[in-house]
Amino acid sequence: MKEYKAVKVKWDVNLEQVNKLMNDMAKDGWEVVNVTTEPPNTLNFVVVLCREV
């Protein structure tokens, strides 16, 4: 069975926040399924992750 999680991350020029989130979650066994932007004026990423439970 898979567990899914969607996380909103603020956009920054160097993408440090989204990279840190993905690296931290990978240590806990999460895999990135999708990364998308919210509507153009919001400057946020939505990262969808999953893992086996």
Side-chain angles (χ1 to χ4, degrees):
M1 179 184 216
K2 291 193 178 210
E3 176 182 11
Y4 291 89
K5 180 184 283 195
V7 181
K8 186 187 299 187
V9 183
K10 286 195 177 269
W11 182 88
D12 65 280
V13 174
N14 297 322
L15 303 175
E16 290 175 5
Q17 291 181 8
V18 74
N19 286 330
K20 182 180 181 326
L21 171 86
M22 290 190 290
N23 288 331
D24 291 346
M25 297 300 283
K27 291 176 187 173
D28 293 333
W30 291 93
E31 296 179 31
V32 175
V33 176
N34 191 18
V35 177
T36 188
T37 57
E38 286 193 320
N41 298 331
T42 61
L43 297 177
N44 289 316
F45 289 105
V46 176
V47 180
V48 178
L49 305 138
C50 76
R51 71 177 173 182
E52 286 291 327
V53 287

